[in-house]
């Protein structure tokens, strides 16, 4: 299919690369954890005996768990500076790691604090647990929140996620908000570090209320504002290749979204079977003032149903997200490597990236080359190169090696490289690119996988 958009000349010179604030954000998060430990240190005198050591360790784990809960929710808030400058995939990995830390700290807090209390009272662990849950203030709510948080942790484990649908995982994941709300009260009611410490209490409230404000604005109010202003609807649906479909979405004043080639939105199509699921799909053509396009491969129930969308279907979108844009470019020469439907954001970048651009497209067969006609047209128009890497006649998969990359792209080490494709494909390519001498800072990749 020929693109429905008029082409615009790509800039001849790359804009200055913007440095990712990832390091500064991580430093800030670890500084917060250090401040939490300092709070315990300043409020704790000498620690004596087994009960004292167990209780002290339980308090540290509890404070860090409370802090990690706030970080966990903050990373879910889809703050633009994180989603667009750090990168959605990196933020998703941070969130997954923060979730594991949170669950581990929660279990450590429970085991240590209850063991310490039991040793202090000379009671059995079971008796102490029942007493704490039933008699201590705010503990019934905290217990319910703990159960919810553990359930979220269990359903987030890879082994469980493979056996459950995305919708089930997503809605269980949303219960994290309820768990944090239920456990907040007992942190202040029972936390010795907050009793009588007005500054620490105020800081804790500021932390949680600040995170709540981020979630309210960026996950609720901003999407409502976007969709009321731009009124997105499906304009057309076209088949691009075997099992691959493009959806053109039109709306009002879409240039005010600030979307860039290489970015993605989270799309919710208000049609039967699709309205309850929000799925990330990249723009497969440069965004225009009145329309955007995504290209979807039928890999599951949701992506398969996209092919059945009718013109006029209302669309609820959130975004734009992602940092796989021209802002990462540091060299006037760029190599784009796409695998399968991972070609979609690279198709938009292929048209708009400044300088000398080469595209390497990996697919099984000629019939699987989605958007191939458009890529050829763009290559002719801007004088770029396209290389296809297809399976052999008996299905054998050719390997992309450092040597083959250097042969196909002279001066490869001086190129920026944008990768998009399945996680395993991207990881394998990353190793070969590093072996070919491409610096890490010039290899750009995003993945929707946690």
């Amino acid at each position: 299919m020929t693109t429905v958009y008029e082409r615009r000349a790509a800039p001849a010179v790359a804009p200055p690369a913007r440095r990712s604030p990832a390091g500064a954000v991580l430093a800030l998060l670890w500084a917060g954890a250090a401040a939490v430990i300092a709070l315990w240190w300043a409020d704790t005198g000498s620690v004596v005996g087994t009960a004292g050591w167990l209780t002290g360790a339980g308090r540290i784990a509890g404070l860090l768990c409370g802090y990690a809960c706030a970080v966990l929710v903050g990373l879910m808030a889809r703050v633009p500076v994180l989603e667009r400058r750090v990168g959605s995939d990196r933020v998703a990995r941070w969130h997954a790691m923060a979730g594991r830390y949170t669950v581990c700290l929660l279990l450590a807090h429970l085991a240590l604090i209850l063991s310490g209390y039991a040793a202090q009272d000379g009671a059995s662990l079971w008796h102490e647990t029942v007493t704490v849950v039933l008699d201590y203030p705010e503990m019934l709510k905290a217990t319910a929140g703990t159960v919810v948080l553990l359930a979220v942790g269990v359903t987030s484990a890879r082994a469980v996620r493979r056996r459950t649908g995305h919708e089930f995982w997503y809605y269980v994941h949303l219960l994290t908000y309820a768990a944090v709300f239920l456990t907040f009260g007992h942190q202040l009611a029972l936390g010795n570090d907050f009793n009588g410490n007005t500054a620490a209490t105020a800081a804790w409230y500021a932390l949680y209320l600040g995170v709540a404000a981020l979630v309210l604005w960026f996950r609720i109010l901003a999407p409502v504002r976007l969709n009321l202003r731009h009124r997105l609807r499906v304009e057309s649906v076209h088949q691009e290749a075997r099992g691959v479909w493009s959806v053109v979405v039109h709306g009002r004043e879409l240039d005010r979204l600030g979307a860039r080639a290489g970015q993605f939105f989270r799309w919710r199509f208000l049609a039967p079977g699709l309205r309850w699921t929000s799925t990330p799909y990249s723009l497969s053509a440069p965004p225009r003032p009145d329309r955007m396009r995504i290209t979807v491969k039928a890999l599951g129930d949701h992506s398969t149903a996209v092919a059945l969308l009718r013109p006029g279907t209302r669309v609820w979108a959130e975004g734009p997200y992602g940092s796989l844009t021209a802002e990462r470019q540091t060299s006037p020469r760029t190599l784009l490597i796409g695998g399968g439907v991972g070609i979609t954001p690279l198709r938009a970048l292929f048209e708009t990236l400044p300088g000398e651009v080469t595209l390497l497209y990996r697919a099984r067969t000629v019939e699987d080359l989605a958007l191939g006609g458009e890529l050829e047209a763009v290559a002719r128009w801007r004088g770029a190169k396209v290389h296809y890497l297809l399976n052999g006649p008996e299905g054998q998969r050719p390997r992309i090696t450092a040597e083959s990359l250097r042969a196909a792209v002279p001066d490869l080490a001086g190129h920026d490289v944008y990768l998009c494709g399945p996680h395993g494909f991207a990881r394998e390519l990353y190793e070969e690119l590093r072996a070919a001498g491409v610096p890490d800072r010039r290899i750009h990749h995003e993945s929707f996988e946690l």
Side-chain angles (χ1 to χ4, degrees):
M1 172 191 169
T2 302
T3 181
V4 297
Y5 307 108
E6 74 281 2
R7 297 192 191 94
R8 299 177 180 177
V13 180
R18 297 178 66 183
R19 183 167 181 166
S20 169
V25 173
L26 283 178
L28 181 63
L29 294 179
W30 284 113
V36 168
I37 296 175
L39 173 64
W40 173 85
W41 182 270
D43 190 60
T44 303
S46 59
V47 179
V48 179
T50 301
W53 282 104
L54 288 171
T55 303
R59 284 172 54 198
I60 293 174
L63 284 169
L64 288 173
C65 182
Y67 173 72
C69 282
V71 171
L72 191 69
V73 174
L75 293 174
M76 293 170 65
R78 296 177 186 164
V79 180
V81 70
L82 297 179
E83 297 283 334
R84 302 175 192 175
R85 295 285 309 284
V86 174
S88 297
D89 62 331
R90 184 179 292 184
V91 174
R93 290 195 296 271
W94 288 355
H95 172 73
M97 184 177 295
R100 291 189 285 271
Y101 285 158
T102 302
V103 171
C104 291
L105 287 167
L106 175 61
L107 293 173
H109 171 63
L110 293 175
L112 291 167
I113 206 77
L114 291 173
S115 298
Y117 285 174
Q120 181 177 303
D121 296 340
S124 69
L125 187 60
W126 172 253
H127 179 271
E128 195 65 36
T129 301
V130 173
T131 301
V132 168
V133 171
L134 297 180
D135 297 343
Y136 283 40
E138 298 286 339
M139 276 307 302
L140 284 175
K141 288 195 298 183
T143 302
T146 298
V147 172
V148 171
L149 199 57
L150 292 175
V152 172
V154 168
T155 56
S156 297
R158 289 185 182 274
V160 177
R161 283 198 62 185
R162 294 192 194 101
R163 293 170 172 78
T164 58
H166 175 79
E167 293 84 356
F168 174 80
W169 170 85
Y170 175 76
Y171 287 110
V172 170
H173 215 63
L174 289 180
L175 293 176
T176 302
Y177 298 124
V180 172
F181 173 77
L182 289 169
T183 57
F184 179 75
H186 98 285
Q187 297 176 43
L188 298 179
L190 299 177
N192 292 337
D193 305 283
F194 300 108
N195 293 334
N197 190 335
T198 304
T201 301
W204 212 248
Y205 268 112
L207 173 65
Y208 273 77
L209 290 176
V211 167
L214 292 177
V215 171
L216 176 64
W217 180 257
F218 292 114
R219 294 213 62 166
I220 299 175
L221 297 181
V224 169
R225 178 172 175 267
L226 182 156
N227 288 279
L228 289 178
R229 169 185 286 183
H230 300 291
R231 300 184 179 277
L232 303 174
R233 290 184 181 272
V234 173
E235 180 177 286
S236 59
V237 181
H238 309 276
Q239 187 169 15
E240 301 285 3
R242 181 170 51 192
V244 179
W245 300 80
S246 281
V247 180
V248 177
V249 176
H250 72 86
R252 304 184 306 182
E253 301 178 326
L254 299 185
D255 51 328
R256 299 182 67 178
L257 284 171
R260 297 172 178 268
Q263 291 187 309
F264 68 94
F265 287 75
R266 298 180 188 274
W267 305 90
R268 188 187 304 272
F269 299 99
L270 304 186
L274 294 175
R275 66 179 68 248
W276 298 111
T277 302
S278 175
T279 304
Y281 295 122
S282 296
L283 299 177
S284 62
R288 303 306 186 201
D290 62 342
R291 64 190 64 185
M292 298 183 290
R293 189 185 72 178
I294 60 174
T295 302
V296 180
K297 184 174 179 61
L299 297 173
D301 293 341
H302 185 278
S303 52
T304 300
V306 166
L308 304 178
L309 287 171
R310 296 186 176 183
T313 300
R314 292 184 61 190
V315 181
W316 185 274
E318 299 176 37
Y321 301 125
S323 63
L324 198 70
T325 67
E327 290 185 347
R328 286 194 177 186
Q329 197 175 25
T330 63
S331 168
R333 297 181 298 279
T334 305
L335 171 64
L336 309 176
I337 306 179
V341 79
I343 194 64
T344 53
L346 302 187
R347 154 65 185 92
L349 288 168
F350 190 48
E351 181 174 329
T352 57
L353 277 177
E356 177 187 317
V357 182
T358 302
L359 173 66
L360 176 61
Y361 188 0
R362 169 79 178 87
R364 289 189 177 89
T365 66
V366 173
E367 290 75 19
D368 294 316
L369 291 173
L371 308 174
E374 292 185 19
L375 296 173
E376 295 285 354
V378 171
R380 289 192 299 270
W381 160 68
R382 65 174 298 170
K385 299 176 182 177
V386 182
H387 300 287
Y388 299 111
L389 191 62
L390 306 175
N391 288 358
E394 298 186 8
Q396 61 268 35
R397 180 187 176 205
R399 212 172 147 247
I400 306 176
T401 64
E403 292 72 22
S404 65
L405 288 169
R406 280 195 294 258
V409 184
D411 188 28
L412 177 61
H415 284 63
D416 279 294
V417 182
Y418 288 71
L419 296 177
C420 193
H423 182 69
F425 168 85
R427 183 170 53 190
E428 179 181 326
L429 260 293
Y430 174 83
E431 298 297 334
E432 296 298 334
L433 287 166
R434 294 293 287 123
V438 182
D440 179 76
R441 69 180 184 279
R442 287 187 171 173
I443 302 175
H444 315 301
H445 170 247
E446 277 191 329
S447 169
F448 297 142
E449 297 183 35
L450 289 179

